[in-house]
């Protein structure tokens, strides 16, 4: 397997020496060529890239797929180190294609991991997940048992980021069951695999709102990491324990673990590490919840001084959101305005980056397609067909747009009528569960109705467990009641409340209307724009962008 560790390099504008060039083209022992290229990559990536392209040309000319794999893999590795992630994906995919030709499972896996790493850097976690899922099949087909646990852990970690917590939990459980079949003696990486799985369990239960279960795994992981003196894991578990205690609203207890983690981070001289930003954010959260608003604000501003060092994007957003709240509590309107402005700029930039990334990949796919078809049809014929297809496509799109516009207008008008009727009906006496004969169910629904008035559904931590806890019941009974009496799943119930609130705010709150799409989704408790967009579409039949545009135009 091939690693992607960054090695120091210098940029030089030298061309490949003639002797090296001839060696790359003619040497029959390809292992010696690989050694030369790897040595170049450790010294000068610009020179190495030129040499690898020469090697790739040789592989293509001789139809040698083994050479094509290594050349493409090295080129992808170089692009990754230079943070040219679209180029990494291109060369990584070419490496995978070459590896498939020679049916080498290890090579295919290496290419998939390289592409997945690039997608992770681009924050395109869905595409990264697809590569790990495909890698799982390669592991099974080629019996590459050593990578099974690692791959399942990677899948679980990405699913956490995609809010697929239950599926992530299943991945970690499968990884744990496989790991139990091995031992420290038979698996050199047993300890790190074990700690990654335990950490995954803790994070999943935290996201599900089951803080006690999360703490059980976090403490288990901390003890194991301390026994082996693995400082990086010790820091992670202390941070996770602190965050779980924040969830339980035990802020002094949370601070004790967070301060230990922060001290260890500083000892390692990791002042620009995302872990320090995370620690400061969690400590500031504790201070804020203990009404120490000035202290929380000062700690957050320490984070903002180093914002360009590129810590975790999600943490930057959370930090600014908390800073805005500090400004509100301190009644400092200028501070609120400053933080709100930066917050919106960050989320706008991230949203645009996602769009740009998709467009770049689309352009690259088109370019690749054109190259493949270049020798199959004549240009004149292609242009003629393309022109006719373009006209046909334009006509179809025109009819579709007219039909969609009329449908959207009707849906928008119906939604506005329903909203007005609902607001009017609130002034009348509304019967309360009068047809419900089950006294326990009636009582539970009344408590749920009361909880709705608090806006509990707007919290990112809102889940079946936390909701059941708030109305003093268990998750199974709450789920059953919602299914039976509201004819919905719990998720659909929460989405309906969120989207109704969103529509009301867009119609009545000018400040809310000025938010970016990303900010609106965050205000509603969604962790991603895509989740919000699909929920809005499902509830209303309209896209969120169309609805907002119509409200802004006063239609």
């Amino acid at each position: 397997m091939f690693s992607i560790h960054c090695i120091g390099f210098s940029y030089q504008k030298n061309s490949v020496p003639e002797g090296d060039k001839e060696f790359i083209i003619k040497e029959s022992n390809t292992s010696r060529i690989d050694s030369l290229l790897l040595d170049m990559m450790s010294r000068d990536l610009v020179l190495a890239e030129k040499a690898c392209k020469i090697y790739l040309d040789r592989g293509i000319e001789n139809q040698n797929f083994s050479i094509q794999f290594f050349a493409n893999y090295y080129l992808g590795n170089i692009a990754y180190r230079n943070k040219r992630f679209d180029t990494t994906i291109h060369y990584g995919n070419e490496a995978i294609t070459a590896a498939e030709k020679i049916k080498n499972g290890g090579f295919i896996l290496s290419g998939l991991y390289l592409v997945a790493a690039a997608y992770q850097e681009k924050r395109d976690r869905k595409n990264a997940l697809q590569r790990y899922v495909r890698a799982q099949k390669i592991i099974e087909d080629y019996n590459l048992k050593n990578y099974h646990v690692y791959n399942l852990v990677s899948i679980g970690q990405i699913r956490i980021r995609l809010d697929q917590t239950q599926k992530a939990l299943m991945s970690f459980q499968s990884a744990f069951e496989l790991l139990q079949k091995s031992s420290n003696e038979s698996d050199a990486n047993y300890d790190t695999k074990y700690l990654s799985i335990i950490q995954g369990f803790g994070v999943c239960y935290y996201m599900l709102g089951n803080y006690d279960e999360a703490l059980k795994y976090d403490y288990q992981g901390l003890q194991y990491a301390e026994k082996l003196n693995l400082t990086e894991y010790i820091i992670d578990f202390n941070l996770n324990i602190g965050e779980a205690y924040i969830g339980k609203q035990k802020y002094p207890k949370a601070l004790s673990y967070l301060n230990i983690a922060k001290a260890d981070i500083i000892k390692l001289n990791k002042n620009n590490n995302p872990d320090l930003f995370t620690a400061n954010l969690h400590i500031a959260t504790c201070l804020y919840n203990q009404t120490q608003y000035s202290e929380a604000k000062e700690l957050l501003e320490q984070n903002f001084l180093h914002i360009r060092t590129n810590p975790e994007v999600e943490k930057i957003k959370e930090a600014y959101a908390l800073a805005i709240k500090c400004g509100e509590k301190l009644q400092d309107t200028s501070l609120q305005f400053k933080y709100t402005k930066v917050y919106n700029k960050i989320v706008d930039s991230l949203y645009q980056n996602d769009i740009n990334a998709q467009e770049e990949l689309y352009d690259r796919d088109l370019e690749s397609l054109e190259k493949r078809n270049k020798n199959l049809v004549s240009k004149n014929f292609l242009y003629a067909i393309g022109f006719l297809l373009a006209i046909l496509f334009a006509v179809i799109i025109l009819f579709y747009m007219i039909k969609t516009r009329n449908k959207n207008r009707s849906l928008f008008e119906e939604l506005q009528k329903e909203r007005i009727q609902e607001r009017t009906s609130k002034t009348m006496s509304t019967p309360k569960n009068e047809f419900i004969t089950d006294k326990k169910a009636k009582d539970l629904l009344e408590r749920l109705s009361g909880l709705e008035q608090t806006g509990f559904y707007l919290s990112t931590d809102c889940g079946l467990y936390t909701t059941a806890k708030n109305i003093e019941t268990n998750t199974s009974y709450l789920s059953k009641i919602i299914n039976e009496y509201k004819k919905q799943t719990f998720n659909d119930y929460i989405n309906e409340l969120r989207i109704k609130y969103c529509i009301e705010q867009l119609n009545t709150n000018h400040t809310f209307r000025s938010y970016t799409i990303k900010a609106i989704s965050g205000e509603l408790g969604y962790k991603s724009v895509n989740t919000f967009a699909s929920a809005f579409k499902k509830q209303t039949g309209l896209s969120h962008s169309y609805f907002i545009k119509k409200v802004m135009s006063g239609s």
Side-chain angles (χ1 to χ4, degrees), residues 60-119:
I60 293 170
E61 185 178 341
N62 297 336
Q63 293 188 326
N64 186 317
F65 295 111
S66 179
I67 290 177
Q68 286 182 41
F69 166 77
F70 281 105
N72 277 303
Y73 185 85
Y74 294 152
L75 285 165
N77 202 308
I78 291 166
Y80 184 90
R81 298 182 195 186
N82 286 331
K83 299 187 182 299
R84 290 159 30 214
F85 301 120
D86 288 326
T87 304
T88 303
I89 292 165
H90 168 71
Y91 283 121
N93 285 330
E94 292 296 315
I96 293 166
T97 301
E100 288 172 337
K101 296 282 187 183
I102 55 177
K103 298 181 179 179
N104 188 309
F107 288 178
I108 297 171
L109 213 55
S110 296
L112 286 169
Y113 287 153
L114 177 62
V115 173
Y119 276 122

Side-chain angles (χ1 to χ4, degrees), residues 219-232:
Y219 277 124
Q220 185 178 332
L222 180 61
Q223 289 173 3
Y224 198 91
E226 286 177 337
K227 181 181 175 183
L228 299 172
N229 197 28
L230 296 174
T231 308
E232 297 280 354

Side-chain angles (χ1 to χ4, degrees), residues 177-376:
E177 289 169 4
L178 281 171
L179 190 65
Q180 285 181 313
K181 295 176 183 177
S182 62
S183 65
N184 298 60
E185 291 76 24
S186 62
D187 189 345
N189 297 313
Y190 179 92
D191 293 330
T192 54
K193 288 177 182 177
Y194 174 80
L195 287 169
S196 295
I197 292 167
I198 296 300
Q199 191 176 28
F201 280 136
V203 173
C204 285
Y205 282 114
Y206 170 83
M207 292 187 71
L208 290 169
N210 192 341
Y211 304 125
D212 290 329
E213 194 70 9
L215 284 167
K216 184 186 86 173
Y217 283 104
D218 290 335
Y219 277 124
Q220 185 178 332
L222 180 61
Q223 289 173 3
Y224 198 91
E226 286 177 337
K227 181 181 175 183
L228 299 172
N229 197 28
L230 296 174
T231 308
E232 297 280 354
Y233 280 101
I234 292 170
I235 289 170
D236 287 341
F237 283 114
N238 276 318
L239 287 173
N240 290 348
I241 290 169
E243 195 170 9
Y245 276 120
I246 290 174
K248 289 170 70 70
Q249 299 181 359
K250 294 184 177 181
Y251 304 115
K253 189 89 170 174
L255 279 170
S256 64
Y257 285 94
L258 294 169
N259 284 322
I260 290 170
K262 183 174 178 178
D264 284 341
I265 294 164
I266 293 169
K267 265 187 208 173
L268 291 176
N269 195 27
K270 296 173 69 177
N271 292 331
N272 290 328
N273 189 279
D275 285 344
L276 183 58
F277 287 78
T278 303
N280 280 338
L281 172 60
H282 292 332
I283 292 169
T285 302
C286 292
L287 294 172
Y288 174 86
N289 283 291
Q290 295 181 115
T291 69
Q292 295 173 259
Y293 307 124
S294 295
E295 293 85 346
K297 184 203 75 167
E298 288 172 12
L299 194 57
L300 289 168
E301 285 183 338
Q302 288 179 28
N303 272 0
F304 301 152
L305 286 174
H306 302 285
I307 214 77
R308 292 179 184 174
T309 55
N310 195 29
E312 285 185 41
V313 168
E314 292 83 0
K315 300 302 179 187
I316 296 175
K317 190 188 76 169
E318 289 173 25
Y320 272 105
L322 183 60
I324 293 167
K325 290 181 180 179
C326 288
E328 290 172 356
K329 293 293 184 181
L330 294 169
Q331 297 182 339
D332 188 335
T333 53
S334 62
L335 200 64
Q336 292 178 57
F337 177 76
K338 180 178 81 171
Y339 288 144
T340 302
K341 187 177 178 182
V342 177
Y343 176 88
N344 286 338
K345 185 177 179 182
I346 288 169
V347 293
D348 268 344
S349 172
L350 297 176
Y351 187 56
Q352 190 58 47
N353 284 346
D354 287 343
I355 293 171
N356 291 342
Q358 291 170 9
E359 287 177 349
E360 286 172 13
L361 286 174
Y362 178 70
D363 290 343
R364 184 174 290 280
D365 288 342
L366 281 180
E367 183 183 334
S368 176
L369 185 63
E370 286 171 2
K371 284 180 181 177
R372 289 175 187 175
N373 289 333
K374 188 175 180 181
N375 297 323
L376 298 178

Side-chain angles (χ1 to χ4, degrees), residues 33 40 43 81 93 141 151 164 190 206 269 317 351 385 451 491 505 507 524 535:
I33 300 174
M40 283 184 176
R43 292 183 289 104
R81 298 182 195 186
N93 285 330
D141 290 348
N151 203 72
Q164 299 175 1
Y190 179 92
Y206 170 83
N269 195 27
K317 190 188 76 169
Y351 187 56
I385 293 296
L451 186 62
N491 285 339
Q505 290 297 308
N507 277 289
L524 297 174

Side-chain angles (χ1 to χ4, degrees), residues 488-499:
Q488 294 174 297
T489 64
F490 177 79
N491 285 339
D492 286 342
Y493 164 66
I494 295 299
N495 282 332
E496 182 180 9
L497 290 173
R498 285 176 172 176
I499 300 307

